[in-house]
Amino acid sequence: MRLVLVGPPGAGKGTQAAVLSEKLGVPHISTGDLFRANIGNSTPLGQKAKSYMDAGELVPDEVTNEMVRDRLSDEDAAQGFLLDGYPRNTSQAEVLTGILGEKHLELTAVVQFDVPEEELVKRMLARGRSDDTEDVIRRRLAVYHEETEPILGYYQDKVIKIDALGSIEEITGRALEALRSHQ
Ligand code: AMP
């Protein structure tokens, strides 16, 4: 199964991605986690990404696309994957289509997590990550609406929309059920 999870920051994508990856037996590939690991290890990639992340802006596409291309070429991603936080704009979506197309593959589905905006800010402030200050949160939400939401139009009939309010188990259940009926 080759999945992309899409949703605004604070929608619980990361949590769901971890659970779903375990249940579906495919690796969880989070571009945010990959960037944070690079920052933690002070790699050149991490140095490039840090200022963008601190400001709530997208890391430039060239840097992000190369990192994803590399990660998808790892052996564990050959049988499927769950992408969390990528693609984040239409141009990244087109690159992903190209990467998969080279292997004659396409995505199984795009899972969209739907959460009301007031709830998102509340959840992010509670999370306390270094890029979770109020100004940066607002910027990340604006970037989501302006740049990421249009990918839902790009993917059209691959999109499965999930109500992401409720307990972790409830939301996982909805996602698994929707994936079953989508196939
Ligand atoms: P996340 O952990 O998905 O919330 O991502 C944290 C931050 O990492 C984002 O605010 C961006 O600065 C950066 N980032 C993660 N994924 C991408 C991506 N696909 N394209 C550009 N920047 C990204």
Side-chain angles (χ1 to χ4, degrees), residues 34-53:
L34 290 172
F35 285 132
R36 282 183 286 275
N38 275 278
I39 291 172
N41 294 324
S42 303
T43 69
L45 179 79
Q47 280 157 19
K48 275 187 213 155
K50 188 171 186 330
S51 59
Y52 296 96
M53 292 177 75

Side-chain angles (χ1 to χ4, degrees), residues 9 116-126 134 137-138 141:
E117 190 115 352
E118 322 79 79
E119 178 69 20
L120 295 174
V121 178
K122 221 180 352 176
R123 287 191 195 178
M124 277 188 279
L125 286 173
E134 198 147 350
I137 288 173
R138 283 193 203 296
L141 281 171

Side-chain angles (χ1 to χ4, degrees), residues 16 18 20 41 57 81 100 104 106 118 146 162 169 175:
Q16 288 300 322
L20 289 170
N41 294 324
E57 302 292 344
F81 53 78
L100 295 175
H104 308 287
E106 55 174 87
E118 322 79 79
E146 286 160 23
I162 305 287
E169 295 75 18

Side-chain angles (χ1 to χ4, degrees), residues 1-2 81 97 100-101 103-109 158:
M1 202 170 271
R2 288 174 293 278
F81 53 78
T97 301
L100 295 175
K103 304 175 199 169
H104 308 287
L105 296 173
E106 55 174 87
L107 290 176
T108 312
K158 289 201 190 295

Side-chain angles (χ1 to χ4, degrees), residues 170-181:
E170 275 165 346
I171 300 164
T172 308
R174 281 177 211 147
L176 290 173
E177 183 51 39
L179 282 168
R180 256 194 296 277
S181 39

Side-chain angles (χ1 to χ4, degrees), residues 19-91:
V19 180
L20 289 170
S21 118
E22 176 87 36
K23 296 208 183 267
L24 299 168
V26 291
H28 170 200
I29 302 179
S30 155
T31 42
D33 286 351
L34 290 172
F35 285 132
R36 282 183 286 275
N38 275 278
I39 291 172
N41 294 324
S42 303
T43 69
L45 179 79
Q47 280 157 19
K48 275 187 213 155
K50 188 171 186 330
S51 59
Y52 296 96
M53 292 177 75
D54 286 345
E57 302 292 344
L58 295 185
V59 177
D61 286 348
E62 313 82 75
V63 177
T64 308
N65 288 330
E66 267 327 286
M67 179 176 80
V68 171
R69 181 185 283 281
D70 266 15
R71 180 65 187 86
L72 288 180
S73 71
D74 289 348
E75 207 182 322
D76 67 336
Q79 300 311 316
F81 53 78
L82 199 160
L83 275 168
D84 160 18
Y86 180 94
R88 262 216 186 34
N89 60 30
T90 312
S91 132

